[in-house]
Amino acid sequence: MVSADNLNFDCLELIFAYLSRNDLVSVALVSRSFLAAAIPRLYRNLTFGLNQAKRYPSIISPFAAILAHPNLALHVRHIDIRAIPTIKSAPQPKFLDDCARTLSLCMNLCSFTCTRDVMPAFLMSLRGKQSLEKIRFIGNMTTNQSAQLVQILGLREVTIDTCTWNVVDALPRWTEVLKPTLISLTLHSIQTLSVDILETVLPNLPNLTRLHVISCPKVDHTTMLRVIVHTPYLESLAFTTHESSRPVPPSIASLPRLRHLALDTQCTPTPTNSTPAFWTTMLNLTRTWSCPLKSLSLRLSDRITLADPFITNLIDSHHATLNHLALLNVSLSKETVTKICRKCTELERFALSLPAKDSLSFAEAVAHAKRMHVVTEVGDLHSSHTPRAPLTKTDIRTIMRHQPTIEKIIADGRIWTAVRFLGFGINDFDIRVEKKKIPSPNHWFMPPSSAL
């Protein structure tokens, strides 16, 4: 007789894959066989955030748990450090030591993320990791530490969130050794990144499929359109555009495989033309390239209302393929939202500023969508503006009632999920709300998984 307790581990692991982390902990307490099957998934991801950092050392960190049971390091695939405990504003030495020693034990590590300025403490521990493919870090390092960074090999994805000139200077050497494997490069908020360095790095990476250069003041859109000649296989491209009189290069390499485009525009639109002219230029380029764009993210430094000709151009260019659309710091009229939802038949994810005072108008507009699954409220980038009133449960129900395909609405730090029942009418559903535990682990300009 087959019971849940004597199912083989493969079956149990498949079942446990559908459980949340809290439920997985409860299941692990049921029996020894359940515990054995749950352990690989429980220790697959080691995360450490602000809430844990505030309570350290009164709680045991996941790294201390691994050191107490070194055999568990075999299961660790991803480490994500978002906060560091401190003593008198300095990083807690014991915690950093535990992290470094744990990293040395995790020989099957696939990705490492650290969004705090402590990367030098982990450089030695990250070397020799044959499975390590993805890394994200803040690169404030000395020349010697940058030399150690270059010895981390075999990476497929690299994200650098600010760094010193030493790391920038080491980039050409590092990308040269990563040439056989690197397919994604993200450089964010690097003040010393120059055009010369970028033009030296990219020829080393002809197989690059994702290139994101955001908030690097010495690299503008003119430079980016010139250097993409070295990366003909790009599927994802993101860069910052500045208010500049520099002309667009007369000859721009084609990117026929482009699936995701993100533009971070730092300019003040003129009263006569509220939409940045460069956005229209890029849309026209994508039409020339005949690329099946699936994802588009646009962000402005100053809030505007998008002009109708731009929306018409966007729809005409990519209505048949667009799956994800994010418009940040942009106002949209009901008519514009209606046009987007009606024409973009493949649109599943829509990120925009939601009108809290007139949720009915938005609901009536989004009702024209064919496949809308997730709506995300992106808010206002300017804190000086009057804060928008949060969406109420009534607002959420109104939107979901008008568009039954919507599964989630993410707004005001909460995730609203529609729970619909088979055999009931479209108006018979419950709404489950949960607090959004942490900000998105990815930058706003990164491509969604559905785009690539």
Side-chain angles (χ1 to χ4, degrees):
M1 179 178 177
V2 177
S3 66
D5 198 44
N6 61 22
L7 285 173
N8 63 51
F9 283 177
D10 291 339
C11 291
L12 289 175
E13 286 187 15
L14 288 173
I15 295 170
F16 292 169
Y18 293 93
L19 300 181
S20 67
R21 192 171 184 84
N22 288 339
D23 290 340
L24 204 57
V25 172
S26 300
V27 164
L29 301 175
V30 171
S31 66
R32 290 183 179 181
S33 61
F34 275 32
L35 173 63
I39 277 179
R41 189 159 294 276
L42 277 172
Y43 287 92
R44 182 180 181 85
N45 303 315
L46 299 187
T47 61
F48 196 86
L50 183 60
N51 187 40
Q52 294 161 295
K54 288 179 177 179
R55 294 185 290 162
Y56 185 88
S58 60
I59 62 168
I60 299 176
S61 76
F63 310 105
I66 294 292
L67 293 176
H69 305 278
N71 58 303
L72 297 177
L74 176 70
H75 306 297
V76 178
R77 298 293 185 273
H78 311 283
I79 292 179
D80 191 337
I81 302 172
R82 301 284 170 162
I84 299 289
T86 58
I87 297 179
K88 296 181 179 179
S89 301
Q92 225 275 7
K94 176 67 166 58
F95 177 82
L96 292 183
D97 182 63
D98 286 352
C99 291
R101 290 166 58 199
T102 299
L103 275 171
S104 298
L105 294 174
C106 299
M107 300 310 296
N108 295 322
L109 189 68
C110 297
S111 72
F112 176 75
T113 296
C114 182
T115 58
R116 290 295 178 263
D117 188 11
V118 292
M119 184 63 178
F122 308 136
L123 289 173
M124 294 298 294
S125 302
L126 287 169
R127 292 169 56 183
K129 296 286 187 291
Q130 299 297 322
S131 300
L132 186 61
E133 295 185 342
K134 183 178 180 180
I135 189 171
R136 176 182 171 186
F137 62 95
I138 292 176
N140 293 328
M141 302 179 188
T142 64
T143 300
N144 289 337
Q145 291 166 347
S146 299
Q148 294 178 32
L149 180 68
V150 173
Q151 297 177 38
I152 301 177
L153 309 177
L155 297 173
R156 290 173 58 84
E157 301 181 34
V158 171
T159 298
I160 305 177
D161 295 321
T162 76
C163 66
T164 55
W165 67 266
N166 313 77
V167 173
V168 172
D169 190 53
L171 272 178
R173 287 177 284 128
W174 198 20
T175 53
E176 177 65 32
V177 298
L178 292 177
K179 182 176 181 178
T181 58
L182 194 66
I183 63 170
S184 177
L185 178 63
T186 300
L187 305 173
H188 180 234
S189 298
I190 302 178
Q191 303 298 312
T192 55
L193 180 66
S194 66
V195 175
D196 291 339
I197 289 292
L198 200 60
E199 290 184 332
T200 304
V201 165
L202 292 183
N204 292 336
L205 306 170
N207 297 319
L208 204 67
T209 61
R210 306 178 193 179
L211 176 62
H212 315 119
V213 183
I214 295 288
S215 298
C216 300
K218 295 183 179 180
V219 178
D220 63 5
H221 56 277
T222 303
T223 299
M224 291 299 297
L225 291 179
R226 188 171 69 247
V227 299
I228 58 174
V229 68
H230 303 294
T231 54
Y233 302 118
L234 283 184
E235 296 179 4
S236 176
L237 176 64
F239 57 91
T240 298
T241 74
H242 300 281
E243 203 165 17
S244 171
S245 58
R246 293 183 64 192
V248 172
S251 177
I252 301 173
S254 177
L255 298 177
R257 302 188 181 190
L258 194 68
R259 303 291 186 274
H260 169 75
L261 175 66
L263 300 176
D264 176 30
T265 301
Q266 303 293 321
C267 71
T268 304
T270 61
T272 56
N273 180 19
S274 58
T275 304
F278 184 73
W279 286 9
T280 301
T281 300
M282 280 304 301
L283 271 186
N284 293 337
L285 278 175
T286 59
R287 295 183 75 167
T288 303
W289 296 339
S290 299
C291 57
L293 208 64
K294 298 188 69 175
S295 173
L296 178 64
S297 297
L298 302 173
R299 187 172 81 162
L300 267 175
S301 56
D302 289 278
R303 192 175 185 86
I304 66 165
T305 299
L306 282 184
D308 188 67
F310 174 79
I311 294 297
T312 301
N313 189 8
L314 168 62
I315 292 172
D316 290 344
S317 301
H318 302 292
H319 67 93
T321 58
L322 202 61
N323 175 272
H324 169 266
L325 178 62
L327 301 173
L328 288 75
N329 217 26
V330 169
S331 297
L332 299 174
S333 66
K334 176 184 176 181
E335 292 74 20
T336 299
V337 175
T338 300
K339 182 183 294 186
I340 292 172
C341 291
R342 178 182 286 126
K343 298 290 186 178
C344 297
T345 55
E346 297 297 312
L347 192 63
E348 296 182 358
R349 304 175 69 91
F350 199 2
L352 73 167
S353 296
L354 297 180
K357 293 184 178 180
D358 193 8
S359 58
L360 179 59
S361 292
F362 177 76
E364 291 173 345
V366 81
H368 296 280
K370 304 298 187 296
R371 302 179 58 178
M372 189 80 67
H373 296 325
V374 180
V375 174
T376 302
E377 150 59 31
V378 295
D380 196 327
L381 299 181
H382 298 288
S383 58
S384 59
H385 292 181
T386 303
R388 180 187 61 80
L391 293 175
T392 65
K393 189 172 183 178
T394 301
D395 296 327
I396 299 296
R397 180 171 290 277
T398 298
I399 297 170
M400 289 181 168
R401 188 176 67 247
H402 277 76
Q403 181 47 270
T405 64
I406 293 180
E407 300 169 356
K408 288 184 180 180
I409 296 178
I410 304 171
D412 311 308
R414 291 176 289 182
I415 302 175
W416 305 83
T417 304
V419 182
R420 303 184 186 275
F421 305 100
L422 189 64
F424 287 78
I426 60 173
N427 293 327
D428 296 321
F429 62 93
D430 289 337
I431 297 177
R432 185 176 68 245
V433 60
E434 59 182 318
K435 185 178 180 181
K436 192 177 179 183
K437 297 178 181 178
I438 59 173
S440 173
N442 296 321
H443 291 298
W444 68 268
F445 53 80
M446 298 297 278
S449 57
S450 60
L452 304 179

